Amino acid sequence: MSRTRPIVAIDGPAGAGKSTVARSVADRLGFVLVDTGALYRTVALAASRAGLPYAAAEEVGALAESLVEKDAIAFLRDARGIRMTLAGEDVSDSIRTPDIGMGASTVSAHPRVRAALLEMQRQAGRAGGVVLEGRDIGTVVFPDAEVKVFLTARPEVRARRRYDELVAKGDTRMSFEETLADVQKRDAQDEGRAVAPLRQAEGAILVDSSEMGVDDAVEAIARLAREVSR
Ligand code: DC
């Protein structure tokens, strides 16, 4: 398929700075940003509200299929940026809790959940001029993306960022050690699952943000995108 503007795929573990980097890259290039983790988080929220355990593969899978079929999961663009909606309700803030993050990691291991969300992601990116961030964009969703990046950082660095973010929001329920344990558990789940595990895609460039500032990472990725746009 020919695209006049590229697809930029940014994958990596939780807390590597993907959201910040992806947003800045999209802004700089004038591309649309698609946060695919928000889709899994919304399925987790819907499961939680329906009283389903995250681990219930078939029930949560059926729920995800029905939500997608009814167009109940959607991105909405407004003055505050891109919002996530569930049956018309803005859930952008409700999906940003540690419980929903862990729930998203659990529900994302279910094959039916992944299959239900796959086509949505492909439609969102197909035309190009888009930055997609997630875990399997370069390996499964768009293996033919023109720019593929695997953005990572050491677990301690990622846990420190997560912890500082929570504290800044006034959430002091978790200690730094608990946050680190959470990050390591999520890594193990995301890397260990049978379907679409988190790994560096073939042809993806490794960017380690442990020592590098956000601006440098953004600049490096934006440069790659400009090169393939010519
Ligand atoms: O990026 P995030 O923390 O919002 O993602 C939440 C969970 O969703 C993550 O632990 C794994 C899952 N996920 C996935 O399996 N595939 C994606 N493309 C994006 C997220």
Side-chain angles (χ1 to χ4, degrees), residues 65-103:
E65 285 162 11
S66 121
L67 291 171
V68 170
E69 200 170 305
K70 289 189 267 181
D71 274 334
I73 302 180
F75 289 107
L76 177 81
R77 220 166 298 271
D78 75 4
R80 285 189 293 170
I82 302 165
R83 314 293 295 171
M84 193 73 230
T85 61
L86 173 60
E89 176 195 344
D90 185 339
V91 293
S92 315
D93 298 325
S94 327
I95 59 173
R96 299 288 155 201
T97 67
D99 172 62
I100 295 296
M102 194 58 82

Side-chain angles (χ1 to χ4, degrees), residues 10-15 18-19 35-41 95-96 100-109 114 117 121 133-137 141 162 186-187 189-190 193 195-198:
I10 305 181
D11 292 306
K18 281 197 314 284
S19 311
D35 166 11
T36 64
L39 299 173
Y40 292 94
R41 284 172 180 267
I95 59 173
R96 299 288 155 201
I100 295 296
M102 194 58 82
S105 172
T106 303
V107 304
S108 72
R114 301 206 75 81
L117 298 179
Q121 296 171 72
E133 60 134 318
R135 300 291 190 287
D136 64 336
I137 309 304
V141 183
R162 262 289 126 98
R186 256 226 274 167
D187 284 358
Q189 269 189 196
D190 293 350
R193 68 180 174 224
V195 192
L198 172 66

Side-chain angles (χ1 to χ4, degrees), residues 142-223:
F142 285 110
D144 65 340
E146 288 79 3
V147 177
K148 295 195 228 178
V149 175
F150 193 76
L151 183 67
T152 188
R154 288 196 305 277
E156 294 72 20
V157 174
R158 292 188 279 119
R160 172 61 58 191
R161 288 181 189 151
R162 262 289 126 98
Y163 178 72
D164 290 347
E165 259 170 40
L166 287 172
V167 171
K169 279 199 278 185
D171 186 343
T172 52
R173 282 172 295 180
M174 293 219 292
S175 66
F176 171 73
E177 286 70 27
E178 285 166 332
T179 312
L180 177 60
D182 214 62
V183 161
Q184 287 165 331
K185 182 171 172 208
R186 256 226 274 167
D187 284 358
Q189 269 189 196
D190 293 350
E191 289 162 10
R193 68 180 174 224
V195 192
L198 172 66
R199 62 175 174 80
Q200 186 174 347
E202 209 171 302
I205 289 164
L206 180 71
V207 178
D208 187 326
S209 74
S210 303
E211 315 297 343
M212 189 190 270
V214 165
D215 291 346
D216 292 335
V218 170
E219 186 47 46
I221 299 167
R223 197 177 325 119

